[in-house]
């Protein structure tokens, strides 16, 4: 049961991630109706700055804390695990205060310098200042629980944080709208403050609830000389800094598309309006589907890091191989069919979700990014679990540079938006391949034959999807034909996996909640 703890954690975080996305989608609809395009534009000028501040101040901290705490727990050194948390909490409180003050002081400069084009966005920037402080502290709590492989507290806090944030955003935007659009947008931005405070309260409750048990474990262990605060802080920074830099690469990579794709399309002969439309198909319709499909692998990664760290600390090579191969297999089981289905049904999905089949070409050619990004996420978690946090950062940097070159050369006739989509595939694929290279050098081996069978099952599923949809669309509308095809394709995929022996009773027994039914 312990050896598969990270599977339960992954499922918990996946469900939480999906609920957070659903709540966020409802919020986007309500806020768009309330504020309109102009109000949303003001909000979007402030919120990315807040996200950037968080990426710099705290993005790598949960992973760094989870790695070190998992190491201490694996050795039975619960006192040191608690000390790591207390040191990180103090460090993050100071860091959060500095960055919050920095955002407050920089808000006026960002507007005056023209980096934030609309002066009315100033109020949103100032409203987000307290959220930087509370969210940074929140990162310490989440990392601590993840180090213990307790994923329920972070999952519950994420859901309640998002719920409170959304309710506050809508309520404040509604009541402040009569005073001006800038105040309504600032009220919406301020929703991040009570949201982060709620998350902090929830995790504090779970911390106090488990504190007595942790103290009992500390009392039973042999007292050792504690590590110095300086040594703990130094290790936290050394582990967290590369992760934070890698997280900053995510918006940087996205900005490559924003800066290059529309310009290259215009240079290829498209009008500004046509280039903007194609860019919207790629980044506004195709990429969100990729991100949605990789929520489970992102959650699996968060659960995998402390699990691998624990095994790596104990020198349990067999456990490392078992966990990494199980994670890779699960990643492929989830992402291969998602990518194949998105490729096969790109136009029907585009018409169903966005009301137009014209985004189908961009969606179809972005489909490989689902499995490539999923593999990149999982392999990054493996490397981080072994304490090699700097390797994924350099791999992401190199792949981003290659992507920039690929966008430049491929986003031109005759490829246009298809070339831009494949630049993203190249980006994720190269980063994943480099991660795998370093994992193999570290002694990790992957069962390629089993992964190949999953790929064949996904290809067969895609072929059945195309044939079935083309048959059904003659007699039924797109919505019904697409829904039935997706359901039937899922059954074909599952039966193919069982028939090929890719999954059996042993794998089904490991599933959380329902696994006991297969014993």
């Amino acid at each position: 049961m312990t050896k598969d703890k990270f599977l339960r954690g992954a499922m918990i975080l996946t469900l939480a991630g999906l609920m957070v996305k659903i709540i966020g989608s409802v919020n986007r609809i309500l806020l768009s109706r309330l504020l309109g395009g102009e109000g949303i534009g003001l909000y979007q000028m402030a919120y990315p700055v807040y996200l950037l501040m968080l990426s710099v101040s705290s993005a790598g901290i949960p992973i760094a804390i989870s790695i070190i705490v998992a190491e201490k727990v694996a050795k039975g050194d619960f006192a040191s695990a608690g000390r790591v948390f207390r040191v990180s909490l103090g460090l993050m409180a100071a860091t959060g205060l500095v960055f919050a003050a920095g955002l407050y002081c920089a808000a006026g400069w960002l507007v005056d310098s023209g980096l934030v084009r609309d002066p009315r966005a100033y109020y949103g920037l100032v409203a987000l200042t307290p959220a930087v402080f509370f969210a940074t502290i929140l990162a310490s709590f989440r990392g601590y629980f993840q180090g213990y492989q307790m994923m329920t507290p972070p999952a519950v806090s994420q859901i309640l944080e998002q719920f409170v944030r959304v309710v506050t955003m809508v309520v404040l935007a509604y009541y402040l709208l009569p005073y001006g659009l800038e105040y309504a947008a600032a009220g919406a931005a301020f929703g991040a403050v009570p949201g982060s405070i709620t998350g902090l309260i929830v995790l504090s409750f779970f911390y106090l609830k488990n504190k007595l048990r942790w103290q009992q474990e500390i009392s039973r262990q042999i007292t050792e000389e504690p590590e110095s605060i300086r040594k703990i802080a130094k290790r936290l920074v050394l582990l967290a800094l590369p992760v934070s830099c890698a997280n900053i690469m995510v918006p940087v990579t996205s900005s490559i598309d924003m800066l290059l794709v529309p310009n290259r399309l215009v240079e290829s002969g498209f009008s500004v309006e046509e280039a903007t439309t194609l860019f919207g198909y790629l980044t506004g319709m195709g990429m969100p589907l990729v991100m949605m499909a990789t929520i489970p692998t992102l959650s699996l990664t968060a659960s995998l890091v402390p699990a691998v760290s624990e095994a790596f600390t104990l020198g349990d090579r067999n456990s490392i191989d078992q966990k990494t191969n199980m994670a890779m297999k699960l990643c492929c089981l989830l992402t291969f069919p998602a990518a194949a289905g998105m490729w096969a049904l790109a136009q029907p999905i585009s018409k169903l979700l966005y009301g137009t089949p014209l985004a189908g070409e961009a969606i179809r050619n972005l489909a490989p990014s689902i499995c490539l990004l999923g593999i990149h996420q999982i392999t990054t978690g493996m490397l981080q679990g072994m304490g090699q946090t700097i390797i994924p950062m350099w791999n992401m940097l190199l792949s981003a540079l290659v992507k920039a070159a690929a966008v430049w050369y491929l986003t031109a006739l005759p490829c246009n938006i298809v070339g831009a989509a494949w630049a993203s595939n190249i980006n994720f694929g190269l980063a994943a391949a480099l991660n795998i290279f370093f994992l193999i050098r570290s002694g990790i081996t992957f069962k390629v034959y089993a992964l190949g069978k999953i790929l064949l099952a996904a290809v067969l599923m895609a072929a059945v999807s195309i044939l079935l949809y083309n048959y059904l669309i003659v007699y039924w509308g797109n919505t019904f034909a697409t829904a039935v095809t997706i359901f039937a394709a899922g059954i074909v995929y599952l039966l193919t996996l069982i028939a090929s022996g890719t999954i059996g009773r042993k794998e089904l027994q490991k599933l959380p909640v329902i696994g006991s039914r297969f014993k």
Side-chain angles (χ1 to χ4, degrees):
M1 187 164 185
T2 303
K3 66 182 181 180
D4 296 327
K5 192 190 298 183
F6 81 95
L7 290 179
R8 282 177 161 72
M11 175 168 276
I12 291 169
L13 291 178
T14 297
L15 293 175
L18 289 172
M19 290 188 68
V20 166
K21 283 287 185 182
I22 291 170
I23 296 171
S25 299
V26 173
N27 172 58
R28 184 177 291 271
I29 294 170
L30 294 176
L31 212 58
S32 297
R33 290 177 178 270
L34 192 61
L35 299 181
E38 188 179 1
I40 290 294
L42 290 174
Y43 171 79
Q44 283 298 123
M45 287 181 183
Y47 200 70
V49 178
Y50 162 72
L51 292 179
L52 180 61
M53 298 294 279
L54 278 187
S55 295
V56 176
S57 66
S58 63
I61 285 297
I63 290 176
I65 296 173
S66 70
I67 291 171
I68 300 175
V69 169
E71 291 176 359
K72 303 300 183 185
V73 171
K75 295 176 181 177
D77 190 358
F78 301 100
S80 293
R83 185 173 174 81
V84 168
F85 170 65
R86 290 189 295 273
V87 171
S88 69
L89 198 59
L91 183 64
M92 285 299 96
T95 303
L97 192 61
V98 169
F99 276 86
L103 177 59
Y104 181 81
C105 296
W109 175 80
L110 289 170
V111 172
D112 294 338
S113 66
L115 291 174
V116 175
R117 291 299 181 92
D118 197 317
R120 294 176 296 172
Y122 170 80
Y123 301 101
L125 290 168
V126 173
L128 283 164
T129 297
V132 175
F133 174 71
F134 292 112
T136 303
I137 296 176
L138 189 58
S140 295
F141 277 92
R142 285 185 174 147
Y144 187 55
F145 282 107
Q146 288 173 2
Y148 268 95
Q149 298 186 57
M150 297 171 60
M151 302 303 172
T152 299
V156 173
S157 74
Q158 285 176 23
I159 295 170
L160 293 178
E161 176 188 351
Q162 179 77 329
F163 178 77
V164 171
R165 172 177 168 267
V166 166
V167 170
T168 307
M169 288 176 71
V170 175
V171 171
L172 287 180
Y174 176 78
Y175 279 104
L176 291 174
L177 189 57
Y179 298 94
L181 203 55
E182 63 270 34
Y183 296 108
F190 185 78
V193 178
S196 57
I197 292 174
T198 300
L200 195 55
I201 291 172
V202 171
L203 287 183
S204 297
F205 167 77
F206 278 107
Y207 177 77
L208 294 174
K209 182 180 177 182
N210 289 279
K211 190 174 181 180
L212 180 60
R213 177 171 62 85
W214 290 329
Q215 287 177 338
Q216 290 174 345
E217 290 170 337
I218 291 171
S219 65
R220 289 194 293 265
Q221 76 177 58
I222 300 172
T223 304
E224 297 180 3
E225 184 178 349
E227 283 184 288
S228 67
I229 293 176
R230 183 177 179 180
K231 186 176 180 181
I232 294 172
K234 181 180 178 182
R235 179 129 193 260
L236 281 169
V237 171
L238 289 176
L239 284 172
L241 191 59
V243 179
S244 295
C245 292
N247 283 342
I248 293 172
M249 288 303 301
V250 174
V252 168
T253 304
S254 299
S255 67
I256 291 173
D257 286 330
M258 181 184 69
L259 294 172
L260 295 183
V261 171
N263 290 332
R264 291 297 289 163
L265 288 172
V266 170
E267 290 172 8
S268 298
F270 291 93
S271 68
V272 173
E273 292 76 13
E274 289 171 333
T276 302
T277 300
L278 289 172
F279 179 69
Y281 291 156
L282 178 73
T283 60
M285 298 182 182
M287 195 54 73
L289 294 178
V290 173
M291 295 303 171
M292 181 69 76
T294 52
I295 287 176
T297 52
L298 193 60
S299 301
L300 183 61
T301 300
S303 188
L304 179 65
V305 171
V308 171
S309 180
E310 179 186 53
F312 188 75
T313 302
L314 297 174
D316 189 349
R317 200 74 197 181
N318 183 57
S319 181
I320 294 174
D321 285 340
Q322 185 185 52
K323 285 179 169 61
T324 53
N325 273 282
M326 187 182 297
M328 181 64 81
K329 184 176 181 180
L330 280 171
C331 172
C332 294
L333 282 169
L334 293 168
T335 60
F336 281 5
M342 191 161 129
W343 177 279
L345 300 174
Q347 285 191 339
I349 290 173
S350 175
K351 188 175 181 180
L352 177 66
L353 296 180
Y354 303 120
T356 174
L358 298 179
E361 188 174 38
I363 291 173
R364 174 177 292 111
N365 287 279
L366 264 181
S369 285
I370 294 177
C371 54
L372 296 174
L373 176 57
I375 293 172
H376 171 247
Q377 291 170 342
I378 291 295
T379 52
T380 295
M382 295 173 188
L383 288 166
Q384 289 172 344
M386 292 188 289
Q388 301 179 32
T389 58
I390 197 168
I391 291 176
M393 181 196 75
W394 288 115
N395 292 346
M396 284 190 71
L397 177 60
L398 178 59
S399 63
L401 294 174
V402 172
K403 176 181 178 173
V407 169
W408 182 266
Y409 287 107
L410 296 180
T411 311
L413 293 175
C415 295
N416 58 74
I417 204 64
V418 171
W422 276 95
S424 292
N425 296 335
I426 291 170
N427 173 37
F428 296 133
L430 178 59
L434 290 171
N435 282 353
I436 291 171
F437 170 76
F438 283 102
L439 284 167
I440 292 174
R441 280 191 60 182
S442 299
I444 302 297
T445 57
F446 297 103
K447 298 176 182 177
V448 179
Y449 178 69
L451 303 182
K453 290 197 292 184
I454 297 172
L455 178 60
L456 288 175
V459 170
L460 176 62
M461 183 205 76
V464 171
S465 299
I466 294 172
L467 293 173
L468 183 59
Y469 177 81
N470 288 336
Y471 174 77
L472 292 175
I473 196 62
V474 176
Y475 305 99
W476 303 95
N478 180 71
T479 301
F480 181 81
T482 304
V484 172
T485 300
I486 291 173
F487 179 76
I491 294 175
V492 169
Y493 178 66
L494 182 61
L495 291 177
T496 305
L497 292 175
I498 295 173
S500 64
T502 306
I503 59 172
R505 178 169 294 186
K506 183 179 179 182
E507 284 78 14
L508 294 173
Q509 287 174 354
K510 293 179 181 179
L511 291 174
V513 183
I514 63 172
S516 58
R517 299 183 182 181
F518 296 96
K519 292 182 179 178

